[in-house]
Amino acid sequence: MNKNSIELLGVDGGGTKTRAVLVKADGTILGEGLAGASNYHVVGAEGAEKALTDAILAAFKDAKMDEVQAVSIEKAVFALAGIDTVNDKSEVEGIVQRVIKALSIEIGNLLVENDCLSALLGAIQNKAGVLLIAGTGSIVFAHDGNNRIVRSGGWGHRIGDEGSGYWIGKQAIQSVLKMVDGRGEDTLLSKLILEKFNFTKVEELYNWTYSDCYSVDDVGALAAVVDEAFQLGDTVSKRILDAAVDELLLLIETAIEKADIRQNEFDMIIQGGVFHNNRYIKNQVSQRIRQSTTKVKIRTSTEEPIRNIIKRGLQLI
């Protein structure tokens, strides 16, 4: 394969997995690689470097390119979760530069930015629009169509990510502990969560939350358990889902106001596991946003975010 045929290296890195793709100028994917989480807030700088390296190498292998050293790539977009402050930007750019140097890859035009921002700009092609991602974490970016970009949420699992899968899972665990104390009503979540983790008593669940085995991803996966309990008529689970809807709507409404696009026609893209796996949240968010913003066109994206990141990368000069 001619090395000059590689137009773009696109990387989508989050708190659960990292995807890297090698792309031709016409958007054709030559090779794709997957690895673990690359959000440095979750796995640390070394963990992020390893995940990025593993994903990129896997993409080269999938493209049948065994020689990575000195490969020339026209453009690269590293769309990574965890870029939330100026300091984050500096830290993550350093991580990316170390990965590129270690792999001896030559890149003509390099862009490192927040994953949600990158996906939004790739999806709307410089028009007004909003992207809400609610997966393990949650974040909203809005664009007014005139180069003004605003953000709401995305402050991470420790102090933010309201309405996300992790947030829902954490509320579920808290509800179980309140039930055991007598501070909260009985809930099916106790039985279902213990079964999920193969625990026999709540004490094991508590011990797990403070052990080295605890993971953001595993807690985020409990959102599906909450939905299961809700489908079975569990009132505690319904309250958790309703609270998640309220939080996600607050993220969206805040971004719309900051971008000053409520009176405009614009697309709102909702994406992530929370919407794909929980019809109740998806329907409630969609219905309520239409009531307050009549010109919005809501699109539920089933595409992997990497598709919009590819579009973003191919736009680069």
Side-chain angles (χ1 to χ4, degrees):
M1 180 182 294
N2 188 333
K3 68 180 181 180
N4 294 323
S5 64
I6 301 179
E7 177 76 8
L8 173 70
L9 165 62
V11 181
D12 175 28
T16 303
K17 64 180 181 294
T18 300
R19 185 185 303 272
V21 291
L22 299 172
V23 184
K24 293 174 65 174
D26 63 0
T28 303
I29 294 177
L30 298 169
E32 181 173 358
L34 285 173
S38 55
N39 184 334
Y40 86 108
H41 291 300
V42 176
V43 296
E46 290 186 6
E49 288 180 33
K50 183 179 187 306
L52 292 172
T53 300
D54 289 349
I56 293 169
L57 287 175
F60 275 102
K61 183 176 180 180
D62 188 48
K64 305 296 190 292
M65 298 181 67
D66 297 326
E67 295 293 331
V68 177
Q69 288 76 16
V71 168
S72 179
I73 297 173
E74 293 294 323
K75 309 167 186 177
V77 176
F78 283 74
L80 306 176
I83 303 178
D84 303 313
T85 66
V86 173
N87 181 68
D88 286 337
K89 178 84 167 168
S90 177
E91 290 287 339
V92 174
E93 284 179 344
I95 290 169
V96 170
Q97 290 291 353
R98 289 194 293 274
V99 169
I100 292 171
K101 183 178 180 180
L103 292 174
S104 298
I105 299 173
E106 297 176 9
I107 295 176
N109 189 354
L110 172 65
L111 178 64
V112 180
E113 63 185 0
N114 180 281
D115 57 336
C116 182
L117 172 60
S118 196
L120 170 65
L121 295 178
I124 64 174
Q125 305 287 302
N126 295 319
K127 297 182 292 185
V130 177
L131 173 61
L132 164 63
I133 296 180
T136 305
S138 62
I139 190 171
V140 174
F141 271 94
H143 187 264
D144 71 350
N146 292 301
N147 297 319
R148 183 162 180 252
I149 299 167
V150 300
R151 165 191 161 160
S152 180
W155 297 114
H157 68 282
R158 290 187 180 179
I159 56 175
D161 284 349
E162 295 88 350
S164 69
Y166 177 83
W167 186 89
I168 292 170
K170 183 178 177 182
Q171 303 301 310
I173 293 173
Q174 289 175 339
S175 296
V176 171
L177 298 178
K178 285 182 178 181
M179 184 195 82
V180 171
D181 280 349
R183 292 182 291 138
E185 64 187 91
D186 287 350
T187 172
L188 288 172
L189 290 171
S190 177
K191 175 178 181 291
L192 295 178
I193 291 175
L194 292 182
E195 289 178 352
K196 171 74 174 178
F197 291 122
N198 293 317
F199 296 149
T200 58
K201 50 188 178 181
V202 172
E203 183 178 324
E204 293 177 81
L205 174 64
Y206 167 76
N207 289 336
W208 173 79
T209 63
Y210 288 96
S211 73
D212 292 337
C213 296
Y214 179 88
S215 78
V216 172
D217 195 31
D218 284 339
V219 175
L222 293 179
V225 176
V226 177
D227 184 59
E228 180 184 355
F230 163 71
Q231 298 293 338
L232 293 171
D234 185 64
T235 57
V236 171
S237 295
K238 184 178 186 300
R239 282 201 296 270
I240 293 173
L241 297 183
D242 284 336
V245 169
D246 289 342
E247 293 289 356
L248 294 174
L249 282 168
L250 183 58
L251 287 174
I252 298 166
E253 294 284 357
T254 301
I256 289 173
E257 287 298 321
K258 288 165 69 176
D260 193 22
I261 58 173
R262 190 176 298 280
Q263 304 307 317
N264 302 351
E265 292 184 357
F266 66 90
D267 286 356
M268 187 181 84
I269 305 161
I270 54 177
Q271 193 171 64
V274 169
F275 295 112
H276 293 163
N277 301 320
N278 191 297
R279 184 175 298 177
Y280 179 76
I281 288 180
K282 175 186 171 183
N283 290 342
Q284 286 293 308
V285 168
S286 299
Q287 290 171 15
R288 289 173 61 181
I289 200 65
R290 286 193 183 100
Q291 292 171 0
S292 64
T293 312
T294 57
K295 294 183 179 180
V296 66
K297 178 182 178 182
I298 298 176
R299 294 161 46 191
T300 303
S301 175
T302 56
E303 280 189 334
E304 290 285 347
I306 194 66
R307 294 291 176 179
N308 287 326
I309 292 166
I310 290 172
K311 294 175 185 176
R312 170 68 167 150
L314 293 177
Q315 293 172 15
L316 297 178
I317 299 173

